[in-house]
Amino acid sequence: MHPPRRPRLLTALLLTPLLTGCFASPGDGDGDGGGTADGKDGSRLRVALAFPPAENLSPYGADATILSRLGVTEGLTALDANGAAAPALAASWRRENDRSWLFTLREAQFQDGTRVTPTAVVTALTRAGRAEPAPAALAGVTLTAEADGATAVRITTTAPDPVLPLRLASPGLAVLAPKAYEDQNAVDPVGTATGPFALTEVTGSTAAALDRFDDYWGGRAQASGIDARFIADGTARANALRTGQIDVAEAIPVAQAATLDAGSRRETATTRTTSLFLNTESGVFKDASLRAAARAAVDTTALADGVYEGHADPGAGIYGPAVTWAEAKRIAPVGRVRAGRPDGAPITLATYDNRPELPEVAQVLKQQLEKAGFTVTLEVREYARLESDALAGKFDAFVGARNSLLDTGDPVSLLAGDFTCDGGYNLALLCDKDVDRAVARAQAVADTDRRQDAALAAEARVLGTDAVVPLVHQRVITGVAGTVGGVLLDPYERTLVGTGTRR
């Protein structure tokens, strides 16, 4: 998003492993099948993605996840199946003191044939730190990277950051070859990343071609390449899979799930929550009592059972059931005011159609809000044409689906990016001193259990403002052709295609 975009983003396993500094490589036994042993060329995969590039495939914004899901980019670390930091371009790491970490690199090559060196990593992280807008994972964080000999990088933060290895797993902090940064105004991921597949051609916002990177450190991919299509319409994605035009389709709409053979549907519990964000900065919902009235008007069970046909759970909080520790620790919202009377107050409710359920959710919300006394105008666009206006506060209310652990895997970082005065993905434009203090306290906590408690205390403060109304916690349906194996069904939605994905 391009107006001033304020910088933006599990269990007990999340934080503890970060401090051990001794890890096994994910290249073996990570469930993706590894590379081919016989050296034969596999078939090309045909993949349909729901979101067209919004930022020319910049590695710093929403497009970073596209690059990650297609197996193009990697960072120093990755998230494992339990949501803990695992090795990627860094083979191991250790914490030197409260502000400094030393990462030891593995032997790896960029797709342009140059080696992954400490100097190259420093260049990548330095450029990310200067990016405008800043990558979500760096919301509220300033880091400095410097080479330490021939194989290590020291990363220092201005304030203690106990979850730095988790933060560095963000798709927005991918490491690219020095060649990618030659243009001071843009970063070019074509042929400059480290993943098993290299971008070779991008056709605007409609398609991209990728070839296998045979020198990938994690093993040679089984597929010879990927032909990716960006298809915003969910019905069109399902039809393309059903008619054999594509092999893998992400985000199959609930309404289309029954049209696919049972064997071609994969349902994955995710940390994605669909929420109603209310503009606290201007317009009708600057009044907290009218935000409370909107929240009271919402029936989340009707959304989960009706719109999502049971493929979602009613909204419980910012963190849903997939964040297993949250339910037992959650506390009641703090600071809520009494609901006011809408008296016909006019509001504009916006959402996007890349996730086909969202317009229907918005339509049901429109009816619920009108029943409560609001006058509602509904606006639906493609996400790429909506995001900047949403972040600029041009709507009174916004319905969006957000993976709460996508950017860093850290629940506190989500709150910092989405709900603080300096948050860069702050769709509610919330700036509340009590929220900021609660988030700052949580950011300072290193102990896993105490950090979770602090995160939920901050969540209670956020929910108390009624700036956000959690609607449903989603399960994602991926369409996979019967001839395809090794698709990566990731609750964090960072990966989709790996070395073992094949047809």
Side-chain angles (χ1 to χ4, degrees), residues 318-329:
I318 294 170
Y319 314 110
V323 187
T324 54
W325 50 264
E327 189 59 35
K329 291 173 173 280

Side-chain angles (χ1 to χ4, degrees), residues 47-51 62-73 171 196-197 210 226 248-251 270 272 355 403 406 476-478 487-498 501:
V47 177
L49 301 182
F51 289 85
D63 292 357
T65 307
I66 295 176
L67 297 172
S68 174
R69 286 175 69 75
L70 289 174
V72 176
T73 54
F197 296 100
L210 303 87
I226 300 171
V248 180
E250 70 171 2
T270 73
R272 178 170 296 279
R355 296 189 180 277
N403 191 318
L406 173 65
V476 170
I477 301 170
T478 305
V487 174
L488 304 178
L489 303 175
D490 177 12
Y492 309 101
E493 300 183 87
R494 296 181 176 199
T495 59
L496 181 65
V497 177
T501 313

Side-chain angles (χ1 to χ4, degrees), residues 238-387:
N239 287 340
L241 180 76
R242 193 166 49 246
T243 57
Q245 299 175 54
I246 60 173
D247 304 308
V248 180
E250 70 171 2
I252 294 295
V254 167
Q256 294 294 315
T259 70
L260 301 179
D261 294 336
S264 62
R265 297 194 304 267
R266 308 284 192 276
E267 184 168 318
T268 310
T270 73
T271 55
R272 178 170 296 279
T273 297
T274 295
S275 299
L276 173 65
F277 298 90
L278 303 177
N279 183 346
T280 64
E281 188 175 73
S282 62
V284 168
F285 291 125
K286 188 173 182 178
D287 183 337
S289 71
L290 293 183
R291 296 199 301 271
R295 182 252 309 156
V298 174
D299 181 352
T300 59
T301 300
L303 296 172
D305 294 342
V307 177
Y308 287 89
E309 300 178 15
H311 295 284
D313 300 300
I318 294 170
Y319 314 110
V323 187
T324 54
W325 50 264
E327 189 59 35
K329 291 173 173 280
R330 183 169 282 118
I331 59 178
V334 175
R336 276 182 172 165
V337 302
R338 180 175 299 182
R341 295 177 54 129
D343 292 330
I347 60 173
T348 300
L349 172 63
T351 194
Y352 47 97
D353 55 10
N354 303 73
R355 296 189 180 277
E357 296 82 15
L358 294 188
E360 188 176 350
V361 167
Q363 185 62 50
V364 173
L365 286 176
K366 180 177 185 292
Q367 296 168 2
Q368 293 177 352
L369 292 168
E370 288 176 338
K371 184 177 180 180
F374 293 95
T375 301
V376 184
T377 299
L378 182 60
E379 186 163 342
V380 180
R381 305 182 203 160
E382 185 179 299
Y383 184 80
R385 299 190 300 110
L386 188 75
E387 186 191 45

Side-chain angles (χ1 to χ4, degrees), residues 110-501:
F110 292 110
Q111 293 159 354
D112 65 358
T114 60
R115 287 180 52 246
V116 176
T117 64
T119 300
V121 172
V122 168
T123 297
L125 294 179
T126 301
R127 185 67 175 266
R130 295 173 180 169
E132 292 291 344
L138 293 183
V141 175
T142 301
L143 58 79
T144 302
E146 61 179 359
D148 184 278
T151 61
V153 175
R154 177 172 290 102
I155 300 177
T156 303
T157 55
T158 54
D161 186 11
V163 295
L164 181 65
L166 204 60
R167 191 181 305 282
L168 293 172
S170 169
L173 296 180
V175 175
L176 304 178
K179 175 182 173 183
Y181 307 102
E182 290 176 351
D183 185 338
Q184 292 301 306
N185 299 313
V187 179
D188 186 4
V190 176
T192 60
T194 59
F197 296 100
L199 271 176
T200 58
E201 183 179 2
V202 179
T203 307
S205 61
T206 62
L210 303 87
D211 287 344
R212 176 173 55 210
F213 176 42
D214 286 342
D215 293 322
Y216 176 54
W217 64 265
R220 191 169 180 261
Q222 294 192 26
S224 60
I226 300 171
D227 296 310
R229 295 168 57 190
F230 302 107
I231 305 175
D233 183 81
T235 299
R237 286 196 304 279
N239 287 340
L241 180 76
R242 193 166 49 246
T243 57
Q245 299 175 54
I246 60 173
D247 304 308
V248 180
E250 70 171 2
I252 294 295
V254 167
Q256 294 294 315
T259 70
L260 301 179
D261 294 336
S264 62
R265 297 194 304 267
R266 308 284 192 276
E267 184 168 318
T268 310
T270 73
T271 55
R272 178 170 296 279
T273 297
T274 295
S275 299
L276 173 65
F277 298 90
L278 303 177
N279 183 346
T280 64
E281 188 175 73
S282 62
V284 168
F285 291 125
K286 188 173 182 178
D287 183 337
S289 71
L290 293 183
R291 296 199 301 271
R295 182 252 309 156
V298 174
D299 181 352
T300 59
T301 300
L303 296 172
D305 294 342
V307 177
Y308 287 89
E309 300 178 15
H311 295 284
D313 300 300
I318 294 170
Y319 314 110
V323 187
T324 54
W325 50 264
E327 189 59 35
K329 291 173 173 280
R330 183 169 282 118
I331 59 178
V334 175
R336 276 182 172 165
V337 302
R338 180 175 299 182
R341 295 177 54 129
D343 292 330
I347 60 173
T348 300
L349 172 63
T351 194
Y352 47 97
D353 55 10
N354 303 73
R355 296 189 180 277
E357 296 82 15
L358 294 188
E360 188 176 350
V361 167
Q363 185 62 50
V364 173
L365 286 176
K366 180 177 185 292
Q367 296 168 2
Q368 293 177 352
L369 292 168
E370 288 176 338
K371 184 177 180 180
F374 293 95
T375 301
V376 184
T377 299
L378 182 60
E379 186 163 342
V380 180
R381 305 182 203 160
E382 185 179 299
Y383 184 80
R385 299 190 300 110
L386 188 75
E387 186 191 45
S388 59
D389 283 350
L391 284 173
K394 294 186 178 180
F395 309 116
D396 298 296
F398 182 83
V399 178
R402 178 88 157 116
N403 191 318
S404 62
L405 297 180
L406 173 65
D407 291 327
T408 66
D410 172 37
V412 178
S413 296
L414 167 77
L415 299 177
D418 287 19
F419 300 108
T420 64
C421 295
D422 292 329
Y425 200 64
N426 189 343
L427 289 165
L429 301 176
L430 180 64
C431 189
D432 181 284
K433 64 179 187 294
D434 291 328
V435 168
D436 277 22
R437 280 196 289 262
V439 172
R441 284 194 293 269
Q443 287 175 313
V445 177
D447 175 76
T448 300
D449 192 59
R450 290 180 53 238
R451 190 176 180 91
Q452 292 169 357
D453 291 339
L456 289 176
E459 179 198 54
R461 282 287 180 186
V462 173
L463 294 177
T465 69
D466 286 322
V468 59
V469 182
L471 301 175
V472 297
H473 306 294
Q474 294 178 239
R475 301 172 209 138
V476 170
I477 301 170
T478 305
V480 181
T483 57
V484 174
V487 174
L488 304 178
L489 303 175
D490 177 12
Y492 309 101
E493 300 183 87
R494 296 181 176 199
T495 59
L496 181 65
V497 177
T499 55
T501 313

